[in-house]
């Protein structure tokens, strides 16, 4: 019995049951005092919170996986305000996460305008998703070729565009070199003596 009047505590901890199963519990304890303020007895409860802890762990793993995914991930609201970006998207654009969540899609997506937003959003909503190639504007003003796969998710009564953004600049360079080599080869073949 803790001797301080009005004392209470709450804590989470693990227990091991007789069958060896590990469970998480939440314990709440408080002193009940007499009329003079002297602690008389302790009242408390212990709740099994194992499922809650498992859900929290899955959410943490999911968030960690999204934050560290190899492909850029961006979430924006229906008005075009950026609400989340992962580390790969920051590396692609050269912005920090704090800088990007203060921007809109109109600031960083080449050719995307406020007038275009509603029709684009409606198209994704009607089709369920959209994958296309475009350009991403970096902090330095450079245009980077990307592939975007976008779908709309509803959460807590609001719509969000969830985009997976893949850097194509390396592929585009390879494609250009191949086209140039095909051109050279075609010229060489055309100029061979009969």
């Amino acid at each position: 019995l803790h001797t301080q009047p009005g004392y209470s505590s709450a804590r989470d901890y693990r227990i091991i049951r007789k069958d060896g199963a590990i469970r998480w519990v939440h314990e709440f304890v408080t002193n009940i005092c007499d009329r003079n303020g002297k602690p008389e007895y302790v009242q408390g409860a212990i709740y099994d919170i194992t499922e809650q802890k498992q859900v929290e762990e899955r959410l943490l793993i999911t968030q960690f996986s999204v934050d560290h995914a190899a492909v850029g991930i961006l979430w924006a609201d229906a008005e075009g305000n950026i609400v989340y970006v992962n580390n790969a998207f920051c590396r692609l654009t050269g912005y920090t996460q704090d800088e990007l969540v203060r921007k809109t899609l109109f600031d960083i997506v080449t050719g995307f305008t406020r007038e275009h937003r509603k029709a684009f959003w409606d198209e994704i909503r009607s089709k369920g998703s959209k994958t296309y190639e475009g350009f991403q504007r970096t902090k330095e003003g450079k245009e980077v070729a990307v592939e975007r796969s976008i779908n709309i998710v509803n959460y807590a009564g609001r719509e969000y565009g969830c985009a997976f953004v893949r850097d194509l600049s390396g592929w585009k360079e390879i494609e250009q070199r191949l086209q140039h080599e095909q051109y050279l080869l075609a010229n060489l073949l055309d100029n061979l003596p009969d």
Side-chain angles (χ1 to χ4, degrees), residues 10 16 21 46 67 70 77 84 88 103 118 134 145-146 165 184 187:
I16 301 174
I46 297 177
D67 287 343
D77 66 17
Y84 170 81
K103 294 196 171 294
K118 184 179 180 334
V146 295
V165 183
L184 292 176
N187 274 344

Side-chain angles (χ1 to χ4, degrees), residues 69-139:
V71 65
I73 300 174
L74 173 142
W75 301 336
D77 66 17
E79 291 75 41
N81 300 303
I82 297 170
V83 296
Y84 170 81
V85 291
N86 73 345
N87 297 338
F89 193 84
C90 291
R91 284 191 302 275
L92 174 68
T93 62
Y95 288 103
T96 67
Q97 189 174 38
D98 288 337
E99 289 171 324
L100 283 165
V101 297
R102 291 192 303 263
K103 294 196 171 294
T104 67
L105 295 175
F106 318 111
D107 298 323
I108 64 166
V109 178
T110 303
F112 193 65
T113 65
R114 293 185 191 285
E115 296 75 27
H116 178 248
R117 181 199 55 80
K118 184 179 180 334
F120 186 76
W121 201 262
D122 289 344
E123 179 186 358
I124 295 170
R125 193 182 295 116
S126 70
K127 291 181 178 179
S129 66
K130 180 175 178 151
T131 300
Y132 70 100
E133 291 183 13
F135 290 93
Q136 193 69 55
R137 193 173 303 117
T138 68
K139 187 174 183 176

Side-chain angles (χ1 to χ4, degrees), residues 16-21:
I16 301 174
R17 295 189 330 192
K18 285 183 182 180
D19 65 0

Side-chain angles (χ1 to χ4, degrees), residues 9-13 25-29 49:
S9 73
R11 62 185 178 142
D12 297 345
Y13 56 91
V25 295
H26 175 78
E27 174 188 82
F28 174 77
V29 203
I49 59 167

